[in-house]
């Protein structure tokens, strides 16, 4: 059994960085015109997204955080969200989640 995954990290609130990652992805796609909702391209449960943390270090926009959490809620077994050191050090992190 082959598992295909995409890993990225250190987006630090930069939604443009995240958007480019999704556009280049072999397993993810945007499912809306505003490019705020992502989905898996295939229903293959062997495709997994791993986000390695540091999602919200810079800026006040939490769109990226909300997008990742929404995907995790829809696909709890296919999305792994790791809390980075900069995320854990933020007192607002638990509020954003």
């Amino acid at each position: 059994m082959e598992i295909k995954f995409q890993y990225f990290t250190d987006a630090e609130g930069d939604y443009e960085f995240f958007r480019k990652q999704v556009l280049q992805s072999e397993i993810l796609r945007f499912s809306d015109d505003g490019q705020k909702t992502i989905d898996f391209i295939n229903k293959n449960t062997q495709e997994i997204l791993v986000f390695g943390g540091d999602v919200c270090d810079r800026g006040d926009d939490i769109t990226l955080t909300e997008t990742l959490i929404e995907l995790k809620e829809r696909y709890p077994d296919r999305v792994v969200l790791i809390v980075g050191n900069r995320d854990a050090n933020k007192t607002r992190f638990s509020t954003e989640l």
Side-chain angles (χ1 to χ4, degrees):
M1 169 175 41
E2 181 179 327
I3 296 176
K4 190 177 202 178
F5 71 94
Q6 177 165 355
Y7 174 85
F8 66 95
T9 189
D10 296 306
E12 299 179 2
D14 185 348
Y15 200 82
E16 184 60 22
F17 167 79
F18 173 72
R19 190 182 75 76
K20 289 177 183 176
Q21 296 297 312
V22 173
L23 291 173
Q24 295 174 4
S25 177
E26 294 181 14
I27 68 167
L28 300 173
R29 66 176 173 85
F30 285 105
S31 57
D32 65 328
D33 292 336
Q35 296 186 337
K36 300 294 182 191
T37 303
I38 56 174
D39 207 345
F40 285 93
I41 295 170
N42 300 307
K43 299 302 177 193
N44 179 355
T45 59
Q46 299 306 313
E47 295 179 348
I48 298 170
L49 169 66
V50 178
F51 182 81
D54 293 343
V55 67
C56 60
D57 189 43
R58 299 185 182 124
D60 295 325
D61 186 0
I62 62 167
T63 302
L64 176 54
T65 305
E66 293 170 337
T67 300
L68 289 171
I69 290 172
E70 189 270 333
L71 187 67
K72 174 69 173 175
E73 288 172 345
R74 285 189 290 127
Y75 299 99
D77 297 332
R78 295 179 67 187
V79 177
V80 177
L81 301 177
I82 300 170
V83 175
N85 64 317
R86 292 180 181 171
D87 299 325
N89 290 333
K90 300 292 182 192
T91 55
R92 68 181 194 201
F93 185 69
S94 61
T95 303
E96 291 173 357
L97 291 178

